[in-house]
Structure formats: C-alpha cells, structure tokens
Amino acid sequence: MTAGAPAAVICGIGGYVPPGVVTNQDLTSRLDTTDEWIRSRTGIAARHVIAPGTATSDLAVEAGGLALVSAGGEPPDAVVLATTTPDRPCPATAPDVAARLGLDGAAAFDVAAVCSGFLYGLATASGLIASGTARRVLLIGADAFTTIVDPADRGTAVIFADGAGAVVLRSGDATEPGAVGPLVLGSDGRLSDLIEVPAGGSRQRSSGRPPAPGEEYFRMRGRETYRHAVERMSAASRTALASAGWEIGDVDRFAAHQANGRILTAVAEELGVPAERSLSNIERVGNTGAASIPLLLAQCTADGSLSGGHRLLMTAFGGGLAWGAAALVWPDVKAA
Ligand code: UT7
C-alpha cells in the first residue's frame, strides 16, 4: 500500500443463501453416489440451491443489502462483484446490482477470479480506496454455481452450490481493526484447463462451431486440483503471515475457501493451525465459489465464532489457476 494512502477498513458484512436445500440423500436418488462418499471425500452434508429463474444478481442484492444495513452510514460509491456466474456474458452484473440497491451512479464492475474472487476483489476495493477513486466500496462475492455445473456429473454436482456474501469497506487508517493488511495474489494460467467451462467464450464462438455436448458445463480435474489447492493455499498463507509479521500461533481464526473439507484440514495441518481456530461451514453450504469466504465470515460473525479483535488469516484457490491470502484484524461488526 502506498505510504500515507488511506487504508480500506471493513465496516459491514452480510451473507445470504437461497432457501432451497439439497441433501446428500436427495443427490443419491439421481446420481451414482452415496451419502458416505460425499461426506467422507468432501465434508458436505447439504447445500443451498437457487430456484429456477433466480440469478447471481438476486443473491448478490440480498447479501449486499444486508452488508449495507450492517455498515450503516454513507452509501458506497463503488460496487465490486466477484463472480464466476454473471447473469449474462455482457454487460457486467455489478451495475444491475448497484441499481437495485439504490446506489445510483456508483462505479460498478465484476471481478472474474473464480473461487479466489473475493480476495482479488478485496485487493481491488483496497486499491480503489487507496487511490482516492472511491471512499466506500461494497464488495460482494456471489455465485449461482448450480447454473454451470452438469447435474449428471457426480464429481462436481455434489460439491458446488449457490450463495453470496458481502462486505462494506470504508476509507480509514491502517492501524484500525478491519483494515485490510497484507494481501498475496497469484496465478498459473498454464493450468487453466484444470477448472474450466470450455464453451460460451470468444474461443469457441469465433471457431464458428457450436458447443459440443457438455462443453457449456463446468469441468474440474478434481484429483490434480486438490493437490494444487493444498500447495498454493499453504504457500500464499505463509507469505501473507510473513508480510504481517505474524507467527502461525498469532492467528486466532483461519478462513480458507470452502473447497472441500479434506483440503481445509490438509491446509490447516500443513500450516499448523489448530482445528478449533479453523472456520468452516462447508458441511451446510458446500462450495459456493466466490461467495465462499464472505459467506463464511458473515455466518461466523453472526454465530460469534469470529469476533472483533481476532487476528484473521484468509486464503483461497480456484480456477485460473488463481489463488490468494490475506491477513487482518477482524473489526467489531455485526452481521445484519
Ligand atoms: O473450488 C475450487 C477448487 N476446487 C477444489 O479444490 C476441489 C478439489 N478436488 C476435490 O475436492 C476432490 O478431488 C473431489 C471431491 C472432486 C474428488 O475426490 P477424490 O478423492 O479426489 O476422488 P477422485 O476424483 O480421485 O475419484 C475417486 C473415485 C473415482 O472412481 P474410480 O475411477 O476410482 O473408480 C471417481 O469416479 O471416486 C469416484 N467418484 C465418486 N464416487 C461416488 C467421483 N465422484 C464421486 C461421487 N460419488 N460423487
């Protein structure tokens, strides 16, 4: 961060999941899988899914509205939406979300970094505030992942789900609780085909051939992705810790992207984070992509497992490949 520049300080939070719930038992009726396999391999028991006709913006408006209530004060002058599943390929979804939240004239755009979108969005929001372009930013992570997952693919349909989480960041001082501290981001596009939706973009469209069957669905090479997820989240976390001047024992709460329960355990063990300091909601909400971290923070703020003064380490990993980590002292905010 530029010396003397204002810091971005989290001052509000909200989370939202759609009311529809799909349990593992529900999935066993249409997929060749079992409750035991899903629980033991992923840690997921149930997930929330949108109703037909619902879109990412609907989830984002709910979570964003709650974060605005939680923050109170002035309306944001910028809206950043991290998402893998925009309502349409064009335009961005954020302007629609801003308009529906009554934020007329606010800068609004999407960030596409798949499951790392919230941390990329946090860096973006911090930059907007540090540069003076915005004084207050609504940052939302929202994904309607079930709209791109192949319902017949047991490797992904059991994992991915829908939801949204949001924070409000205001201009403030780097020493305040809630000030965004060291942020580490990285990518490796050589491995972009580990997690992809092959069709629907310029590559397929310019070829003049229609999508082959299944190409418009999300694909993930799970086993390889798993290995990279553990490596990258552990390494990024260590770098963020070093930049913050923290030892691992200083971390009160660890919030990793809720990719898979076994990945969360592996990363926490690799880093030496005690299990009781590791936050998790994957059992109830599955993997909600860009929504994963802010939804987790919102739910943990609401239930008291994350509170003001906790030194928080966050890390994420996903398609791109793209990853990140961030360290900050959690502010005294209430989830609306
Ligand atoms: O959020 C973005 C980042 N995403 C991640 O980090 C996710 C990373 N990967 C994973 O979470 C795990 O790799 C999965 C949960 C996707 C899969 O678990 P795994 O232990 O790596 O299983 P696998 O893909 O190696 O498959 C093992 C077996 C295969 O059968 P065979 O070939 O050994 O006969 C799969 O076909 O498990 C089979 N399988 C299933 N069986 C029952 C895959 N999905 C299922 C299922 N139910 N739902």
Side-chain angles (χ1 to χ4, degrees):
M1 202 60 65
T2 314
V9 179
I10 293 175
C11 62
I13 186 153
Y16 176 77
V17 285
V21 174
V22 172
T23 64
N24 292 350
Q25 281 79 8
D26 295 331
L27 290 172
T28 59
S29 64
R30 63 176 174 82
L31 287 171
D32 180 15
T33 189
T34 61
D35 176 49
E36 199 282 327
W37 193 97
I38 302 170
R39 280 179 193 265
S40 63
R41 299 291 185 117
T42 72
I44 301 168
R47 70 284 291 144
H48 290 260
V49 300
I50 55 168
T54 303
T56 294
S57 62
D58 302 321
L59 304 173
V61 165
E62 295 288 345
L66 290 169
L68 293 179
V69 171
S70 164
E74 296 287 303
D77 45 8
V79 176
V80 178
L81 173 65
T83 188
T84 320
T85 56
D87 287 10
R88 295 169 278 181
C90 172
T93 304
D96 179 41
V97 172
R100 287 162 61 189
L101 289 169
L103 303 173
D104 299 334
F109 58 96
D110 293 357
V111 165
V114 196
C115 297
S116 297
F118 179 74
L119 293 185
Y120 272 73
L122 204 56
T124 308
S126 298
L128 288 171
I129 288 174
S131 65
T133 304
R135 287 190 46 77
R136 218 168 161 90
V137 180
L138 174 61
L139 168 62
I140 308 171
D143 263 324
F145 237 101
T146 58
T147 60
I148 55 171
V149 163
D150 178 353
D153 176 11
R154 66 179 182 171
T156 54
V158 304
I159 300 172
F160 290 94
D162 307 328
V167 294
V168 177
L169 299 118
R170 64 169 170 79
S171 178
D173 189 88
T175 58
E176 291 181 72
V180 176
L183 245 161
V184 178
L185 301 175
S187 78
D188 186 353
R190 294 170 303 178
L191 296 171
S192 62
D193 62 345
L194 283 192
I195 297 174
E196 63 168 342
V197 178
S202 58
R203 179 76 65 201
Q204 174 264 316
R205 284 166 183 259
S206 75
S207 72
R209 69 164 176 81
E215 274 190 345
E216 284 172 310
Y217 282 129
F218 177 87
R219 292 176 184 170
M220 178 175 72
R221 302 220 302 268
R223 182 60 65 88
E224 287 164 87
T225 302
Y226 188 109
R227 182 169 59 79
H228 289 289
V230 175
E231 282 177 16
R232 293 300 188 182
M233 286 198 280
S234 302
S237 295
R238 285 198 181 96
T239 308
L241 279 177
S243 303
W246 295 356
E247 302 291 333
I248 196 68
D250 295 329
V251 174
D252 298 308
R253 294 294 181 268
F254 180 54
H257 163 52
Q258 305 286 291
N260 172 319
R262 285 188 299 145
I263 291 178
L264 299 178
T265 304
V267 174
E269 282 178 359
E270 172 75 23
L271 291 171
V273 176
E276 64 276 12
R277 296 188 185 182
S278 203
L279 302 174
S280 183
N281 61 356
I282 193 168
E283 186 180 8
R284 292 171 285 128
V285 305
N287 180 337
T288 57
S292 170
I293 290 179
L295 178 60
L296 176 66
L297 299 179
Q299 292 184 339
C300 292
T301 301
D303 72 18
S305 51
L306 174 64
S307 54
H310 276 149
R311 280 164 298 199
L312 174 70
L313 177 65
M314 299 179 274
T315 187
F317 172 89
L321 300 178
W323 58 84
L328 60 83
V329 176
W330 191 245
D332 189 14
V333 286
K334 298 217 175 342

